[in-house]
Amino acid sequence: MIAKLSGVLDSVEADACVVDVGGVGYLAYCSGRTLGRLPAPGQAVSLAVITHVREDHIHLYGFLDAADRDWFRLLTTVQGVGSRVALAVQSALTAQELAAAIALQDKAALARADGVGPKLAARIVNELKDKVGGIATVAPLDGGRGTAPAALGGAAEDAVSALVNLGYRRIDAFGAVTGAQRRLGADAPIEALIRAGLAELAS
């Protein structure tokens, strides 16, 4: 089984890239976000890889960091989420946005991905809500402590709802309010959290 590819980026396709390792070109399917972060062809590249072996094919799926690889593995444990749907989710959401969407049970965020309807989005958040703690380690929304965001309560949750009602995405509102709460303290009133959240969203 291939777990890593290190070589030279040969080419980039619509949904995959080719990595030249010692003169052998390996085709690795990637999310749109991963493809957008790759270096220019001819430059060195290293991918974490998951190998899928079936009777009729061997497919490689490539990731620039372990967090994205682990999210792919976790997503594909959900019934109805195959490799292509998992990559579509990772194309639509960053690792931290995905962690926030699941923690907040934000089905609408997941439904932005191609191939993910309301029912599948609900299944993803329900099945993964207790499994995400150790994965969202790259640029998390909690200010860099390396954990998935926890659900809010009390004034903070009400402040998030107020920002959502003003037209902001729940993921963005969550990040703004949690940042405001860290600055103002856990007992900050809802009015202060809303004002600080708005200021952060406007910055």
Side-chain angles (χ1 to χ4, degrees), residues 123-142:
R123 188 181 304 142
I124 291 171
V125 298
N126 288 334
E127 291 191 18
L128 299 187
K129 62 184 178 182
D130 297 323
K131 301 179 181 179
V132 302
I135 293 182
T137 57
V138 178
L141 287 174
D142 67 345

Side-chain angles (χ1 to χ4, degrees), residues 4-64:
K4 181 179 179 180
L5 291 175
S6 293
V8 174
L9 183 63
D10 180 84
S11 60
V12 177
E13 302 179 6
D15 59 353
C17 68
V18 176
V19 180
D20 185 327
V21 182
V24 178
Y26 292 87
L27 178 72
Y29 293 96
C30 304
S31 72
R33 289 184 182 274
T34 294
L35 294 174
R37 294 167 56 200
L38 291 174
Q43 300 296 311
V45 67
S46 182
L47 296 176
V49 170
I50 291 177
T51 305
H52 276 191
V53 179
R54 296 184 179 178
E55 291 183 1
D56 57 343
H57 68 244
I58 299 176
H59 282 174
L60 304 180
Y61 298 91
F63 312 89
L64 284 172

